[in-house]
C-alpha cells in the first residue's frame, strides 16, 4: 500500500493538471481503499484471480464475431463492432464502436495495441463509421479514426489515419505514416511520412506481399485460438490457486 505522503504528492500533481478537488479526492481515496483491500486479502492468505472481458456490450449492442475470429484476452472490443471471418484483434488492442460502427473484414488483423475509434459526425456528411476491408494488416500501435480502409492494404507500425480519410485498395503505408483528416491515398501506391506523401508505385510483388502478410497473421491467429477458449482461460489460474490450497476471489 502506498504511503499517505505518496498519495498527497499524486493529489498535488493531479490538481496541477486541472482536475477538480472532488475528482482528485475521489480518485485518490478510491485507489487507496482498493490497494488496502488487496493487501489485507493477501495478508489473510487469499489470492485474486483475474477475469477479462474482450467483448463488451454497450447500449444493448454486442460485438459480432464469427467462430474463427480471434480476439485476444487482453483486447477490448466494445459496442457496434463486426469482426468477419478469420479476422483477428491482437493483445492490448482497443476497438470502440461507441459513437459509430466499426467493421473489420475477412482475414484482416489489428495488431498489438492498435486503437480504432470513431467520431459522432464527419464534415463530409458521410456516415462516421470506421471500415476496414479484407486482407488488411494494421501494424502495432497504429490509430484509426472513422476512416475507410479498402481491401488489400498494409498499414505499418505506429501509423495514424484520421477521420474521413480514404485509403484505397492495394496500398502500403510505411511505419509512422500520418494520413490527415479527409485525405485520399490512391490505389496501387506506397506512401509515408507526416503528413503522408507519395513514395512509389507498387509492383506486382508488393501487391502479393500485402495478401501474404495478412494470410500469415491469420495462420498465427489460429495457433492462439486453439490456446484461448471463447470464454477465456482464467479458470486455469483459478485451478492453479486451488491446487495450492489457497482461497481465491475474482478480481
Amino acid at each position: 500500500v502506498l504511503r499517505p505522503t505518496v498519495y498527497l504528492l499524486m493529489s498535488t500533481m493531479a490538481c496541477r493538471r486541472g482536475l477538480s478537488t472532488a475528482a482528485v479526492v475521489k480518485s485518490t481515496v478510491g485507489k487507496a481503499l482498493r490497494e488496502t483491500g488487496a493487501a489485507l486479502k493477501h495478508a489473510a492468505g487469499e489470492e485474486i484471480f483475474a477475469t477479462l472481458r474482450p467483448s463488451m456490450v454497450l447500449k444493448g449492442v454486442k460485438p459480432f464475431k464469427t467462430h474463427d475470429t480471434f480476439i485476444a484476452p487482453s483486447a477490448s472490443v466494445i459496442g457496434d463492432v463486426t469482426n468477419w471471418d478469420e479476422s483477428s484483434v491482437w493483445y492490448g488492442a482497443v476497438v470502440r464502436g461507441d459513437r459509430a460502427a466499426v467493421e473489420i473484414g475477412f482475414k484482416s488483423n489489428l495488431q498489438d495495441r492498435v486503437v480504432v475509434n470513431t467520431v459522432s459526425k464527419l464534415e463530409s456528411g458521410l456516415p462516421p463509421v470506421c471500415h476496414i476491408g479484407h486482407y488488411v494488416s494494421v501494424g502495432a500501435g497504429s490509430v484509426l479514426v472513422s476512416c475507410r480502409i479498402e481491401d488489400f492494404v498494409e498499414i505499418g507500425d505506429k501509423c495514424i489515419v484520421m477521420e474521413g480519410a480514404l485509403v484505397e485498395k492495394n496500398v502500403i503505408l510505411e511505419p509512422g505514416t500520418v494520413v490527415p483528416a479527409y485525405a485520399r491515398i490512391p490505389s496501387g501506391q506506397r506512401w509515408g511520412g507526416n503528413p503522408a506523401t507519395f513514395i512509389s508505385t507498387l509492383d506486382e510483388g508488393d501487391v502479393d506481399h500485402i495478401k501474404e502478410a495478412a494470410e500469415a497473421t491469420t495462420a498465427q491467429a489460429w495457433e492462439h485460438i486453439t490456446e484461448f477458449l471463447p470464454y477465456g482461460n482464467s479458470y486455469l489460474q483459478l485451478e492453479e490457486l486451488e491446487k495450492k490450497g489457497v482461497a481465491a476471489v475474482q478480481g
Side-chain angles (χ1 to χ4, degrees):
V1 180
L2 294 178
R3 296 178 180 176
T5 52
V6 177
Y7 279 115
L8 179 60
L9 177 61
M10 291 169 61
S11 300
T12 304
M13 294 173 64
C15 287
R16 289 176 180 172
R17 294 192 185 107
L19 296 177
S20 68
T21 303
V24 172
V25 171
K26 183 177 179 180
S27 174
T28 304
V29 172
K31 184 175 177 65
L33 290 173
R34 287 193 300 271
E35 292 195 1
T36 301
L40 290 172
K41 289 177 181 177
H42 183 74
E46 265 189 349
E47 293 283 350
I48 300 175
F49 70 97
T51 57
L52 298 168
R53 296 176 63 194
S55 295
M56 190 179 93
V57 178
L58 183 67
K59 298 176 183 177
V61 181
K62 180 181 179 181
F64 170 82
K65 72 184 188 73
T66 63
H67 72 282
D68 51 7
T69 296
F70 171 63
I71 299 178
S74 59
S76 297
V77 179
I78 303 162
D80 192 0
V81 180
T82 300
N83 301 270
W84 288 115
D85 305 71
E86 299 186 77
S87 60
S88 55
V89 181
W90 290 81
Y91 301 91
V94 177
V95 185
R96 289 178 52 184
D98 49 1
R99 297 186 183 94
V102 177
E103 184 174 12
I104 303 169
F106 174 71
K107 287 195 175 183
S108 291
N109 59 83
L110 308 181
Q111 296 167 26
D112 300 345
R113 305 181 312 283
V114 165
V115 175
V116 177
N117 204 346
T118 53
V119 296
S120 301
K121 185 179 180 181
L122 292 177
E123 294 178 5
S124 62
L126 294 172
V129 302
C130 188
H131 171 83
I132 300 169
H134 308 310
Y135 291 95
V136 174
S137 297
V138 183
S142 293
V143 177
L144 308 182
V145 183
S146 286
C147 55
R148 183 176 181 86
I149 313 296
E150 296 192 341
D151 303 342
F152 300 102
V153 172
E154 182 176 294
I155 298 175
D157 295 348
K158 298 182 179 179
C159 289
I160 299 175
V161 184
M162 294 303 296
E163 70 272 11
L166 168 63
V167 180
E168 297 183 352
K169 67 182 298 186
N170 296 331
V171 164
I172 294 177
L173 299 181
E174 291 292 310
T177 300
V178 176
V179 180
Y182 305 101
R184 170 178 166 266
I185 307 297
S187 176
Q189 297 181 359
R190 182 191 303 270
W191 285 58
N194 179 12
T197 55
F198 172 77
I199 296 176
S200 64
T201 300
L202 301 185
D203 58 28
E204 187 176 343
D206 293 327
V207 174
D208 289 342
H209 167 75
I210 295 173
K211 184 177 181 181
E212 291 167 359
E215 289 179 332
T217 303
T218 298
Q220 188 178 24
W222 271 106
E223 298 176 2
H224 291 251
I225 288 175
T226 57
E227 189 69 26
F228 294 104
L229 300 176
Y231 46 80
N233 69 337
S234 57
Y235 74 95
L236 295 175
Q237 184 185 1
L238 178 58
E239 288 178 354
E240 288 296 320
L241 294 173
E242 289 174 345
K243 288 178 182 178
K244 295 177 182 178
V246 297
V249 294
Q250 181 175 323

